[in-house]
Amino acid sequence: MESLVIPVIILAVVAAGVALAARAIGKRQASAREARMVPVPDASEVARVAAGKLNEEQHQKLYALIAQGQAMAAIKFYYESTGDGLRASRDAVGALAAHPQPYRGPQAQAADLEAEDDTPQRFAYRYRAIASKGDVTREVSSNMLNDEIYGRIRTLARSGDVEGAATALTKHSDISMKQAREFIALLDD
């Protein structure tokens, strides 16, 4: 009888190890399934936002590269023109190729910004935008800003519509028009 105790203990330890390994594999597979369920942004919306970041000349050149089948050159050009990350640039160029967007001038973008954003959405996080030139630095922190809205404001500022950009910034933050103009002036490159 005593000779069976050691094999039974070994068998129990092996069974416990197998049960723990099976449980760990199940948890890993469940977390992998959850990670795959992250919603993918709509490609047409990605294309609309991406086109809004380009001026007319950049828009034409990008579509010329896409039409010539020069995908890598188009991604590089978009990356250099917008400052977006490489993966975001790849996704944007792919979306622009799949869903062509007409060029919309700064006035149309300002009208869209005003029409869409009469009542700014409040986000669960605070977005920080920082602008500096020389020794002067300004920061705007708001839970009504995000990358897309701030990108549209920067596009308006770069296209010369300082008042439209300042108005949009005051709608999406708690700063005065004077402070918004000072901030926008620092964005002018």
Side-chain angles (χ1 to χ4, degrees):
M1 183 86 155
E2 288 181 19
S3 62
L4 293 177
V5 172
I6 291 178
V8 169
I9 291 175
I10 292 173
L11 185 59
V13 169
V14 169
V18 169
L20 288 173
R23 185 175 177 188
I25 290 171
K27 283 184 179 181
R28 186 176 298 155
Q29 289 174 344
S31 66
R33 278 191 298 272
E34 282 182 26
R36 284 189 294 250
M37 295 181 75
V38 173
V40 177
D42 181 32
S44 61
E45 179 65 19
V46 171
R48 186 186 67 76
V49 171
K53 294 180 180 181
L54 302 171
N55 64 32
E56 187 172 10
E57 181 182 324
Q58 292 169 333
H59 189 269
Q60 289 174 351
K61 183 172 181 180
L62 181 69
Y63 271 108
L65 291 170
I66 291 171
Q68 294 169 1
Q70 297 180 3
M72 294 304 291
I75 293 169
K76 181 180 178 190
F77 178 74
Y78 185 86
Y79 173 78
E80 292 170 350
S81 297
T82 63
D84 284 356
L86 192 55
R87 182 174 288 158
S89 297
R90 180 201 65 196
D91 294 344
V93 169
L96 286 167
H99 303 279
Q101 301 290 311
Y103 174 71
R104 300 185 47 135
Q107 289 77 19
Q109 291 176 10
D112 287 349
L113 191 61
E114 289 175 13
E116 289 178 10
D117 302 325
D118 285 342
T119 56
Q121 177 182 358
R122 292 196 179 270
F123 302 102
Y125 56 87
R126 290 191 69 78
Y127 184 89
R128 289 180 56 199
I130 300 171
S132 65
K133 187 181 284 185
D135 293 341
V136 180
T137 301
R138 297 282 185 265
E139 177 182 331
V140 175
S141 179
S142 175
N143 63 344
M144 294 179 281
L145 277 173
N146 63 14
D147 282 334
E148 180 183 345
I149 295 167
Y150 183 60
R152 287 190 265 167
I153 291 170
R154 275 196 341 248
T155 301
L156 287 171
R158 288 182 182 155
S159 66
D161 187 6
V162 175
E163 286 302 308
T167 301
L169 187 57
T170 57
K171 281 185 181 179
H172 293 281
S173 62
D174 297 326
I175 64 173
S176 69
M177 189 62 149
K178 179 183 175 193
Q179 293 169 325
R181 285 185 188 115
E182 291 172 358
F183 185 86
I184 298 298
L186 295 177
L187 292 178
D188 186 23
D189 293 323

